[in-house]
Structure formats: C-alpha cells, structure tokens
Amino acid sequence: MSSKDYSLVERALIKGKWDPQIPTKTTPSIDTAKLIVDREFKEALTSKAATELFKPASDNYSQSLEKILDLEAKVQNDDSPDAELTRLAIAIACLQAFVQINWTGPDLLVKPLDLVKGDSDKSLGLTDDTIQSKAISELAFAGEPAYHLAKHAAFLRFSQLLLNLPYRHLQTVPWWRLRTSLIHEQVLDDPVSFPEDFQTSLEPLLSSCASEPELVARIYLELGLLNHYQSKDKSAAEYFIKSARSTGLQYELTGALGKRTKFQVTELSQLVLLAESQLPQDDAVSDVASPQKEGSASETHQDDPASTSTTNKLPETLALNDDTLLEQTEFTSSTPSERGHSRLGHIDPSSQPALHPLDQSILLSLCLNVRNTSPSHGLTTEQMSPYVSRVISHPRNWSVHTMALLLRSRLESTRTRTVERSTLQLQALIDQMPTADSTVQERLLYVYSIPLPSKWEMEKELAARYLSLGVVKSALEIFERLEMWEEVVKCYAALEKPEKGISVVRDLLEGRKEEAETVLARAKVGSSERKQAADATREAKLWCILGDLESEKAVEHYQRAWKLSKGTSGRAMRALGGLYFKQEKYNDAIICLNKAVKINPLITRSWFILGCACMRVEDWEAAKDAFARCVAIDEDDGESWNNLASMYLRITKKADARDGSEHATDDEGPSSTEIGINDEKETTADKSSSDNSASLDNGATPRNHSQDSVPFENKLLAFRALKQGLKFSYDNWRMWYNYMIVSMDVGELQEAARALGRIVEKTGEKAGTLIIDEEVLDRLVEAVIRAPADPKEALAALPTGPDGNPIQNPNEGHGLFRPVAALFEKTILPRASAPRVFRAYARLHSWQGHWAEALKAYLDGYRWSMGGTIEKGEQDIEKWREGVSDVEDIVDVLRNFGPKVEGQDENKWRSQARSIVRTFMGRTRDFEEEKEWEKLKELLEELK
C-alpha cells in the first residue's frame, strides 16, 4: 500500500467511518482496522495478530504488565508500515473497548484475559483478577490512584503500552496518545499534569490536515478538553474557539422576544443562541434520529410510525410537566429586518436549522467555558442554558445528546421547579448505559469530543444530588456500592454518625471490611499476604481519610500514608502541610507543601497555602512564585492576585553603599507603596480536611518605610496583578483600596480615582463604615490644579507628538479633572460630610475660578469642622484651640474669596465672618482666660 492509503486508514480510525477510497485489496492490518471502525472489538482483540502481541513473555507474574508482555522485544525487528498499523489498530481497539464498558455502554463481550491467554503455557497462572489488580496499580500516576472499580482497566493499560512503542511511519499516533490521556485523566482521583506536550506533537498533523476542517476542529476540541480537565480554563477556552473557527461554526448569544411561562401575556426579551453549521450535513451521523423539539421523545413522533425506530435510539428526554413553566421558551418569529445587522439575522429563533454533531460538541464545550470563566451567580446559568437548549432541540448523536441532557440536568438542579426533572433525568441517563438502544458505532463516534463522564462519575453525581436534597441514605447506598469511602464518611457525618465513618475506614485498613480490589488481590492467601498485595496508593488514601477524621492522630496517619506510598502520595503531603500551617509550624508546612506541588502541581489550594507559609517566614520570593502558580492555574482567584501584588511590593532593592549599585533583598518590612495591602483569604489545607484551615491578616500596612526601596517595575507588576484580580473580586473593597494605593504610586491617578469611588460606594452601604482616604483625595486634587486652569494655556504647555498635536496626560491637569470632579459630585459628597473633603472640593472650584462654589464648599467644610460643631460647655482646651484655628481659617477664606464672588458686596462677607466669630465665642465663653481669646476679640474688631 502507498503512504496515502495508510493515511486514509488512519483517518478512518480517527473519524470512526470507513472511507470508500481505501483499496479493496486488503491486508491483515486493514482487516483489523475495518473491524475497529465497525466496532467489532471482540473479533479484533481475539485475532491472531492481537494474541501474538499479548502472549506473555515471562511467567514471573510479580512483575509489571510491561515486563510480562515485553512488547518492545516483540516488535523491535518489525517496523514496517503494515506492522505499525496493526499495532496502532489493536491499541485503538483496547482503548475503545475500555471506553465502551466504562463510558458509553453497552456491555462488552471480551475481557483482557482473552488477549493474554492465547495458547501459551506461560499464561496459565494469569487470571482476570491479577491482571485487573496490576492494571489499576500501574494506572496510578503522580501520586493519584486510579479508580479501583473501573471495569477491565487492563484494556487502558494495554493501549498505553502499545502507543508508547516507537512509530516511524504513522501520523496519528500522537492523537491517540492524547485520547488515551483524556481517558486516563478521568480515571484518576484528582487531575494531574502529563509530561508530554501534545500541542507540539500534534503540530505536523495539524499541518497535514489543514484542508480537512473537521479533523482540525477535533484536535483543537480534544486539546481544549484536556486543559479543561486540568482546570486550565483560559487555554481550554482558546482551543474551543479555535475549534469553532475551524469548522466555520457561526454562533451568537442574543435576545429575542418570547414567553417562558404558560400564563405570560407580555412577551419579554429572552436569551437565545443563534447558531449555524458550515460543515456538510451528509453522513453526519450513522443511525441518527430525526430532529425533535425538546420534550418527551416518546411523545414527539407518536403519529409517525416511520420515525419510531430511530427515535428509540436516542436517550430519553424527560418532560418538565410543570404547571407554570413552558417546556421551552416560545420565541416570536422574527424577520431579518427586526434582527438588525446581525450576521445570523436570517435565522428564526423558534425554528433554527439542525447543527452538525461536531458543532454541537463545540457548543457544549463553549458552555463549559461560560461556567469556568464567569462568576458564580445566577447569570451564569442563564448564559449556559441557551447553549444547551440549542443542542437539545435537534438530537443528532446519542453521546452528544446524552451530554446535553446531563448539562441541562446540572443547570436545573438548583431550581425548585426543575430539580425533580433534574434528578430523574440523571437517573434515566445512568439507566440507559447498559442498554442496546443505539449502535456502539454511534455512541463512540464523538465520545472524545465531549466531556462525557464515566459511569461511576455519573452515579457519584446522582448520589451527590441525593445528598443535596437530604436523601442521605440513598446517597450512602450508592457511595458504598461505588466504594467511594471519602463520600461515605461525609454521609455518616450528615447523619451525625462520624464514629461510623471512622469505623468503616479502620475496618478497611485492618482487613475486617474488604474492597472489591482487595478481594481480587487476595487470591486465597492469608490476611497478612492480602495486605501486602493490596494497592499501596489506595491504602495510602485511606490513611489520609483517617487522618482527616482523627485530628489528634492526624500527623501520624498522614506520615504513614506518605511512607506507605513510597513518597508518591501528594494528598498526604497536602494534608500534612495544611495541618502544620494551622499549627503555625510554617517551615515544616513549606517542606511538606513543596513535596505536594512537585507531585501534583495542578492543585491551586496547595500553592496558595505554600505562599501563605512563605509569607509567614518572610520568604517573599518563594511566596511570589507560589501565588504566581495559583493564578496561572486558576485565573479568577482574585485573592491570589491580591497576595501576588503584595509580594511584588515586598521584594525590594537597596543601594550598595560602596558603589551605588542596587541589589535585590527580602526587606524585613513592606515599603511605603504597600499602603493598605491586605493579605486575606480563608484557605483549606485539603478539600477533605475542613479543619486544616488558615487565614491571613486583614490589616493595613503602615506608611512609614523608605520611599525608594521598591523598584518601579515591581510596583508596576503589583498594579497589573491587582487590576487583573479585581475582574474576579469586583466587590472586595480591600482589594480596591490596595489598587488605589498602588495606582497612586505608579502614576495611574485616573485609576486611583476610580478605585476611591468604588471604595466609597462599597463601604458607604452601611452606616458608620464609610472609608475615604483623604490623603489620596488631596493628591488627586493637587494633580489636577498643578496645570494651568485655562485649557488653551494648558494645551500650549503640553509636549507634542509626531503629528504635532499636544499629548494630553489622563493622569494630571484637565485630563484628570473630569473623573475627579465626578468622584466628588456623584460619589463622595452625597455620602460624606468631612471638612477635609469639602476643602479639597473647594480647591478644585477655586482652580476653575468658580468663587461662589468654592466659598460655599469652604463654608460647608467649616460647618463640619471642630469650630462649627463645638458644643456649649466644652472643657477640652485642645479641641477649643483647634476650633479657634478653624475660625481663623474660614475668616481668611471669606476675606479672600468674598470680594471675588460676582454680585456680592463687601458687607455680606464681613457680616458672615462676624456671625461665625460671634457664634463661636458665644459657645465657648468658658475659655475667656486663654490667650487665644484675645485673638478672637481682635479678629471680631477687624471685621467691623
């Protein structure tokens, strides 16, 4: 065969559809590939080629599967394209078989032992149990155990072993490695970061597939899903958008008039997703059901006998049956003219065209992106619902439609009127897995393009739904059947039986209660041998759970888990580090957490507590690196952005006294730029250890350190970090305060004005909590009034750009005047009455030459000063002297500004001044013996 023919076969394996251009003259490798495309996994995996590959090379079953099979030795002398295609096809068959049995169903008619057994005498000692036990142990990765009840886990391990062999002739091997990693990621307890750079390895394939948009879109979509599983939401979003662009999918989230309830009379604007596919719809699906509206599948086509056979191949879509809500939004038909200039204005929201299944998968992934990049509030659900509804309205593929119904079930789980359907729909999706209501080919066609959870994850989700509804016993039954002991412990805690949870874990560890895997590993040996054969990773996790439950022995349990796992249990170090942090043993916490993040660097919580611990020991550089990793993993962690900014402001440079050079140093205290930096966040050492919590101080940093200790580039980095963090902590006034101070320091005064306004708005909501930094306000006013008041004169004084026009600085003079004036008039003055605030406002008016407004502001300031508010009978002489000073100041203001007020004669301002002095003297006659009293009498005489 030519290289082109091999390429066609590889693409057929990727797409799951046989290409008629493939030569009819077959070879054994093509026959095997055709069996896999037709989803005849039993025939492919029990073929002579497969059994020869998996024939045991050793009868020493204490070794790993890799050494027992010794695949490298079997293929080292045969690297022909045909042999490589055979190996790839069998690897794909193993992966697809594992996905079928654990993800899509129905049940599989072949098992791993059928591959290994063959006719070799060396396989006689192998059993299903020993193969399963070895596979589960070998699938553990980066300290995270694989789910021990995953069925036929050896298939996934076999696929990995085959794909790890060298390939010189085939292009799509990196893609299948990506797909294997996608599945492997979901088998592990927590997400991990794989060492391989899949983007780089897939670049040649992307180039060769440039003319096939469907393949390019699938690559980007699957890369995005891998990033999604690893919580790299920003990267995932970029890949999802690239995928949509590759297929030419056009979509637009917009509004259209419609009704959502049965009794609604007035049509209101409803969110709707308009979408249109550009991919050809021919052969889009194999056995596809005809398009249907959202509602009961059994009712949709009841009058169409011809559609019954296809409709039954779709997952059951349960009806809402609510007395108020409609099954779906009823949109008013719209014409392009009503839709304005929208590129999708020709689409009627109530009758949109069917989408290609791949485009439906992209929309569901974009829906995930809405969840991951939006704040946690009701708007997120409203944004996601149109994506899901757009897919549900036209079922094209069994797996894609299942994923859409699952997402809708999640969205409806928090609403009273929809929670019942949400739970029943999830149960229906689980029940359909073992059935044969659709072909295996259709179920597997797009399974790698959607975030479809495994069977055990869906059952876990159902149990969690029961737990949220208070149906604890039903949840407990499911968790016990799934042997998810951590969740079992939570159920016993909800039942107020924590001692029962401890008993369950201890029984498992001591052999009185057996997990299914322990039973498999026992193989009729005694108790001590059974314990030795048990999976150390699973046992280490049980010790960690016990450590969470028994706080008095927690350190002992976590250390035992670490030792048992031979230094691979990231969870043990995470929990132990959090516990040490709580006990204020920060150096010990740093040691443990550094080990934890080295094993699994994807868990934000570990990095955050590590950063907090480094702050406690004043290792600012290490803390900065830790918080930087936090925001790299979870970009919307506003508190980590805040702490990262704080670290930038603590890493200082000091001048060398001998040569004047500068060097970096970890200063003992923060610099003046750290005014108000608040390091605050409640953390939990481990998601299963709610007791191991730690919080950072909420205090403000004093303004008494060297002005030049922090380099400007660090201040600028702190400014950018806070600006990014505020996108996700918009209501956190403390972060706004930090942002205001740093903005002042880097010269971003317009941003400082915006931040001060936000602080006043948030802190002024409750009486007695208003915070106004008057020093910052004064500096903002000074930055405005240092420029000439005449706009023409101010422009003339500005530097000119290359085009000859003056360059206006938005952070001073007239460029800053408008936001500062708005800050006073719209935000501060309606909420605050402080002398210094009014005086600053008066200076702004006097700069403009608005003498009457300036005079009024000064007088308002005096009324709230000590001079204006002092009470009769006051005995505090210092307060009285302060009042005397206020009186003298306001008299000077009236003397200077009074004559300038247009239309006002001299007698008026003199009368005002005399009245102020007389009133003050009348209230404070108890101080007539003081020397300042004579000043007041002289002042009154001058004003006659």
Side-chain angles (χ1 to χ4, degrees):
M1 287 201 312
S2 66
S3 58
K4 180 182 178 182
D5 294 334
Y6 282 111
S7 178
L8 290 174
V9 175
E10 284 189 84
R11 280 160 169 72
L13 288 168
I14 286 286
K15 294 180 178 179
K17 303 172 188 174
W18 196 250
D19 192 331
Q21 298 183 38
I22 297 173
T24 53
K25 185 180 179 181
T26 62
T27 64
S29 63
I30 292 184
D31 290 339
T32 304
K34 182 69 165 60
L35 287 173
I36 293 162
V37 172
D38 293 339
R39 305 302 190 254
E40 301 291 346
F41 299 132
K42 182 177 180 180
E43 287 76 3
L45 292 175
T46 54
S47 65
K48 183 178 180 182
T51 53
E52 284 295 321
L53 269 176
F54 289 106
K55 183 184 296 182
S58 169
D59 55 3
N60 181 4
Y61 302 133
S62 63
Q63 301 179 101
S64 66
L65 287 174
E66 183 177 7
K67 291 182 179 178
I68 291 174
L69 299 176
D70 198 9
L71 293 171
E72 287 190 11
K74 295 174 184 175
V75 304
Q76 63 182 353
N77 297 323
D78 191 357
D79 61 351
S80 64
D82 204 57
E84 286 189 5
L85 181 60
T86 299
R87 295 199 294 270
L88 176 62
I90 295 171
I92 295 170
C94 290
L95 177 63
Q96 299 278 57
F98 180 74
V99 172
Q100 178 183 329
I101 193 64
N102 289 288
W103 262 260
T104 65
D107 293 338
L108 200 63
L109 300 178
V110 63
K111 54 187 178 181
L113 188 61
D114 296 337
L115 282 69
V116 179
K117 197 171 182 180
D119 56 358
S120 171
D121 293 336
K122 293 180 179 179
S123 66
L124 296 178
L126 285 174
T127 64
D128 290 317
D129 298 345
T130 54
I131 294 176
Q132 172 76 2
S133 180
K134 286 181 179 295
I136 290 294
S137 298
E138 293 175 26
L139 287 173
F141 186 76
E144 297 299 332
Y147 181 58
H148 63 292
L149 294 188
K151 293 182 179 178
H152 299 340
F155 279 136
L156 179 59
R157 184 63 183 142
F158 290 163
S159 180
Q160 288 179 334
L161 294 175
L162 284 170
L163 290 172
N164 288 337
L165 297 173
Y167 290 84
R168 296 194 305 111
H169 304 286
L170 304 182
Q171 283 188 315
T172 59
V173 175
W175 196 343
W176 285 105
R177 288 176 182 153
L178 168 63
R179 289 184 167 184
T180 305
S181 297
L182 275 172
I183 299 302
H184 191 190
E185 189 79 67
Q186 298 175 75
V187 173
L188 300 175
D189 278 8
D190 282 310
V192 298
S193 180
F194 291 109
E196 184 173 355
D197 184 357
F198 292 104
Q199 169 70 38
T200 303
S201 62
L202 286 169
E203 286 294 345
L205 189 58
L206 281 168
S207 301
S208 65
C209 295
S211 59
E212 299 181 72
E214 183 177 347
L215 290 179
V216 173
R218 284 195 184 206
I219 291 176
Y220 284 135
L221 188 53
E222 291 171 29
L223 283 170
L225 288 173
L226 183 64
N227 279 270
H228 161 69
Y229 293 136
Q230 296 176 353
S231 300
K232 300 177 182 176
D233 299 331
K234 187 175 181 181
S235 298
E238 292 171 356
Y239 282 124
F240 294 152
I241 292 172
K242 284 182 180 179
S243 181
R245 288 173 179 167
S246 300
T247 66
L249 171 65
Q250 294 185 349
Y251 61 94
E252 178 183 340
L253 190 64
T254 184
L257 291 177
K259 297 178 181 179
R260 189 69 189 92
T261 65
K262 296 177 180 179
F263 308 109
Q264 188 174 335
V265 177
T266 305
E267 293 176 339
L268 302 174
S269 183
Q270 310 285 343
L271 266 181
V272 61
L273 184 78
L274 302 178
E276 189 171 43
S277 291
Q278 304 299 315
L279 291 173
Q281 295 289 344
D282 296 340
D283 198 31
V285 287
S286 52
D287 275 334
V288 63
S290 36
Q292 68 180 57
K293 296 290 183 184
E294 187 176 337
S296 173
S298 60
E299 296 174 0
T300 307
H301 300 285
Q302 62 183 356
D303 297 328
D304 183 6
S307 69
T308 303
S309 61
T310 56
T311 301
N312 290 336
K313 294 181 180 180
L314 287 171
E316 183 182 5
T317 308
L318 299 183
L320 183 59
N321 295 327
D322 187 72
D323 58 358
T324 301
L325 292 179
L326 293 169
E327 289 290 336
Q328 59 182 348
T329 303
E330 291 182 356
F331 291 103
T332 305
S333 298
S334 60
T335 63
S337 60
E338 293 173 332
R339 306 292 306 166
H341 299 287
S342 169
R343 59 183 176 175
L344 298 176
H346 60 284
I347 296 180
D348 183 350
S350 60
S351 180
Q352 297 196 55
L355 295 174
H356 192 281
L358 183 57
D359 285 333
Q360 291 183 332
S361 303
I362 294 171
L363 286 182
L364 294 178
S365 299
L366 288 168
C367 169
L368 289 177
N369 184 47
V370 170
R371 183 195 69 187
N372 290 332
T373 60
S374 295
S376 298
H377 52 67
L379 181 59
T380 306
T381 301
E382 294 302 319
Q383 285 178 301
M384 292 171 69
S385 295
Y387 287 85
V388 177
S389 298
R390 181 67 181 90
V391 176
I392 289 178
S393 62
H394 292 91
R396 305 298 307 280
N397 175 269
W398 187 92
S399 297
V400 176
H401 195 58
T402 295
M403 187 68 232
L405 292 174
L406 176 60
L407 284 177
R408 186 183 69 176
S409 173
R410 291 171 179 171
L411 292 176
E412 293 184 342
S413 63
T414 57
R415 299 178 61 188
T416 306
R417 290 189 174 275
T418 56
V419 67
E420 182 182 1
R421 178 171 70 171
S422 168
T423 307
L424 293 175
Q425 182 70 76
L426 182 55
Q427 180 67 66
L429 294 178
I430 294 170
D431 293 341
Q432 73 175 353
M433 293 292 181
T435 65
D437 57 358
S438 65
T439 63
V440 177
Q441 184 174 13
E442 183 185 355
R443 293 189 182 202
L444 291 173
L445 198 57
Y446 295 98
V447 73
Y448 303 105
S449 301
I450 52 176
L452 186 68
S454 60
K455 291 180 181 179
W456 66 82
E457 281 296 330
M458 289 184 72
E459 289 194 75
K460 178 183 177 182
E461 188 171 338
L462 178 63
R465 192 77 52 81
Y466 284 146
L467 195 59
S468 68
L469 295 173
V471 190
V472 181
K473 288 190 177 180
S474 296
L476 180 60
E477 289 175 3
I478 296 175
F479 286 136
E480 286 185 327
R481 176 165 49 80
L482 297 175
E483 297 185 5
M484 295 181 174
W485 306 115
E486 190 170 349
E487 309 303 327
V488 168
V489 166
K490 291 179 182 177
C491 287
Y492 280 122
L495 292 170
E496 299 182 352
K497 297 179 180 178
E499 70 287 346
K500 181 64 175 174
I502 295 174
S503 175
V504 167
V505 178
R506 282 209 168 272
D507 286 349
L508 286 164
L509 288 169
E510 296 171 9
R512 292 193 298 269
K513 184 180 178 68
E514 298 170 352
E515 279 188 322
E517 185 189 348
T518 308
V519 176
L520 299 181
R522 183 177 57 189
K524 298 182 180 179
V525 297
S527 176
S528 60
E529 293 181 35
R530 180 174 74 246
K531 285 186 178 180
Q532 292 172 5
D535 187 352
T537 310
R538 299 289 306 173
E539 190 173 346
K541 181 177 180 180
L542 290 172
W543 280 109
C544 287
I545 295 173
L546 192 61
D548 300 341
L549 296 172
E550 296 182 341
S551 56
E552 68 282 357
K553 297 181 180 179
V555 173
E556 177 187 340
H557 294 333
Y558 295 144
Q559 289 176 340
R560 183 164 183 175
W562 177 250
K563 184 178 180 180
L564 187 66
S565 69
K566 297 180 180 179
T568 62
S569 175
R571 171 166 181 170
M573 284 296 105
R574 289 195 299 272
L576 191 55
L579 184 60
Y580 282 142
F581 186 91
K582 181 183 178 183
Q583 295 173 350
E584 300 184 3
K585 298 177 181 178
Y586 302 121
N587 288 315
D588 291 338
I590 290 171
I591 293 171
C592 293
L593 291 168
N594 272 319
K595 291 178 181 178
V597 297
K598 186 176 181 180
I599 293 170
N600 191 342
L602 289 181
I603 299 181
T604 315
R605 192 183 308 278
S606 302
W607 285 109
F608 187 86
I609 303 177
L610 176 60
C612 297
C614 291
M615 288 174 64
R616 298 300 195 196
V617 299
E618 298 186 0
D619 187 351
W620 312 125
E621 191 71 41
K624 180 207 73 175
D625 294 340
F627 291 126
R629 292 298 295 265
C630 284
V631 298
I633 299 169
D634 184 7
E635 189 184 13
D636 61 355
D637 186 353
E639 304 302 338
S640 289
W641 282 110
N642 182 62
N643 288 348
L644 177 61
S646 180
M647 293 306 96
Y648 281 129
L649 296 174
R650 282 177 166 85
I651 300 172
T652 62
K653 287 184 179 179
K654 290 185 177 179
D656 192 310
R658 291 170 296 179
D659 56 12
S661 62
E662 291 186 338
H663 62 277
T665 177
D666 290 345
D667 200 358
E668 290 183 359
S671 73
S672 63
T673 58
E674 296 176 79
I675 306 169
I677 287 292
N678 300 299
D679 306 320
E680 55 149 1
K681 182 175 181 179
E682 296 247 338
T683 66
T684 305
D686 191 273
K687 64 182 180 180
S688 63
S689 294
S690 59
D691 291 336
N692 296 340
S693 61
S695 62
L696 292 180
D697 297 334
N698 294 331
T701 305
R703 315 179 187 213
N704 56 0
H705 295 269
S706 169
Q707 291 287 335
D708 300 322
S709 59
V710 179
F712 181 77
E713 58 267 26
N714 279 15
K715 299 175 185 178
L716 197 58
L717 288 169
F719 169 77
R720 292 171 180 167
L722 286 167
K723 188 173 185 178
Q724 184 72 13
L726 282 169
K727 295 179 182 178
F728 312 106
S729 294
Y730 192 74
D731 292 331
N732 188 332
W733 71 266
R734 291 183 176 86
M735 279 191 67
W736 280 106
Y737 193 90
N738 299 339
Y739 183 59
M740 174 186 69
I741 299 303
V742 178
S743 297
M744 293 295 297
D745 232 14
V746 299
E748 293 285 347
L749 302 192
Q750 196 167 101
E751 285 297 291
R754 184 169 77 95
L756 179 55
R758 187 67 184 155
I759 294 165
V760 173
E761 288 173 356
K762 292 304 296 179
T763 60
E765 292 174 352
K766 296 181 180 179
T769 62
L770 179 63
I771 292 177
I772 300 174
D773 194 308
E774 295 174 341
E775 182 177 333
V776 168
L777 192 61
D778 282 340
R779 289 180 61 185
L780 290 173
V781 172
E782 290 299 325
V784 173
I785 66 177
R786 71 166 61 108
D790 184 0
K792 292 182 179 179
E793 184 181 346
L795 285 174
L798 293 174
T800 57
D803 56 358
N805 294 323
I807 303 173
Q808 187 165 331
N809 188 348
N811 295 306
E812 66 177 9
H814 291 272
L816 184 61
F817 167 71
R818 183 171 293 178
V820 171
L823 174 65
F824 274 108
E825 295 163 6
K826 296 181 179 179
T827 307
I828 296 180
L829 292 179
R831 295 175 173 86
S833 300
R836 195 169 173 181
V837 170
F838 283 116
R839 286 196 289 268
Y841 187 52
R843 292 203 307 278
L844 202 62
H845 277 301
S846 61
W847 174 73
Q848 297 174 279
H850 299 165
W851 309 115
E853 289 83 353
L855 184 56
K856 179 181 181 301
Y858 276 122
L859 288 168
D860 288 339
Y862 171 76
R863 293 187 187 101
W864 291 96
S865 70
M866 184 57 66
T869 59
I870 196 166
E871 296 288 340
K872 190 174 182 178
E874 178 63 57
Q875 298 298 315
D876 190 332
I877 190 169
E878 294 301 326
K879 289 185 178 180
W880 178 75
R881 286 172 178 166
E882 183 183 341
V884 171
S885 178
D886 291 336
V887 170
E888 291 175 335
D889 288 343
I890 194 62
V891 170
D892 285 341
V893 167
L894 285 164
R895 184 181 290 120
N896 292 327
F897 284 63
K900 296 179 182 180
V901 176
E902 186 177 351
Q904 180 173 300
D905 58 23
E906 187 173 349
N907 290 332
K908 183 172 181 180
W909 70 263
R910 283 183 180 275
S911 175
Q912 281 183 296
R914 285 197 303 271
S915 175
I916 288 172
V917 177
R918 282 199 302 266
T919 301
F920 181 78
M921 293 176 70
R923 291 177 180 173
T924 60
R925 291 193 182 277
D926 292 343
F927 298 96
E928 287 181 342
E929 301 301 323
E930 302 297 329
K931 60 181 181 179
E932 288 87 353
W933 189 265
E934 293 300 322
K935 289 183 181 181
L936 292 174
K937 290 171 66 176
E938 292 172 6
L939 187 59
L940 192 60
E941 188 66 26
E942 289 175 9
L943 293 171
K944 287 184 180 178

